[in-house]
Structures are given as structure tokens and as C-alpha cells.
Amino acid sequence: MALYILCHAGQIIQDGTESIGMAAYNSNWYSVDIDTQKDVLFIIRQCQKPSYLQALPLGEFNHSLMLMILKTSYSFLTFLTQTT
């Protein structure tokens, strides 16, 4: 359960980073003063590479990591049930 919570939180962080960039892009950033335009463009640039929680030997915590762990666990379980 703890692994699922970590993977889900990591996925939320990735999705949130991407949605912040899209929200900044879809705003009327071009109709404000130059300093604010530069700030919004900086936010958009930074959000192009999403933030994530890193699981050092496995990659990053997200739904694909959770799926990989579930598949591997199921494979081990079926292997153990067939050998006994």
C-alpha cells in the first residue's frame, strides 16, 4: 500500500507540473507588462521538463513503475505456484 501511495503521489506531481505549464500558456500572458511576460515564459520553460519523485534503482515513482512492480510480482507468484 505504501508503494502505491508513493507512485500515485509521484504521478500527481508529474501531472501537476504539466498542467501548470499548460495553464500558464493558455492564460492571456501576452497582454500583460513585459516583466510578467518574462516570468510566465520562464514558468512555461521550466514546466516543459516535469518534476518527479525519484526511485533510485528503479527510475521514478509513477503509475508505470507501479504497473511494472505488479507485473513482476505476479510473475514471481505464478512461478512459485507452478514449482510447488
Side-chain angles (χ1 to χ4, degrees):
M1 189 63 156
L3 184 64
Y4 171 75
I5 292 171
L6 279 172
C7 289
H8 188 65
Q11 188 68 43
I12 288 173
I13 290 171
Q14 278 183 333
D15 295 342
T17 305
E18 293 170 2
S19 68
I20 289 171
M22 289 303 296
Y25 178 76
N26 291 331
S27 68
N28 291 331
W29 60 271
Y30 44 84
S31 63
V32 295
D33 61 302
I34 297 296
D35 289 334
T36 307
Q37 286 181 4
K38 289 179 182 178
D39 292 339
V40 172
L41 288 175
F42 177 75
I43 291 170
I44 292 170
R45 232 180 287 129
Q46 292 298 317
C47 290
Q48 287 178 349
K49 182 181 176 194
S51 301
Y52 55 87
L53 291 176
Q54 187 155 355
L56 286 177
L58 302 174
E60 53 194 48
F61 285 113
N62 55 20
H63 288 157
S64 61
L65 175 66
M66 186 67 190
L67 185 62
M68 180 187 71
I69 292 172
L70 285 174
K71 285 180 178 180
T72 305
S73 300
Y74 182 73
S75 295
F76 283 136
L77 181 67
T78 55
F79 174 72
L80 289 174
T81 56
Q82 288 178 0
T83 59
T84 57

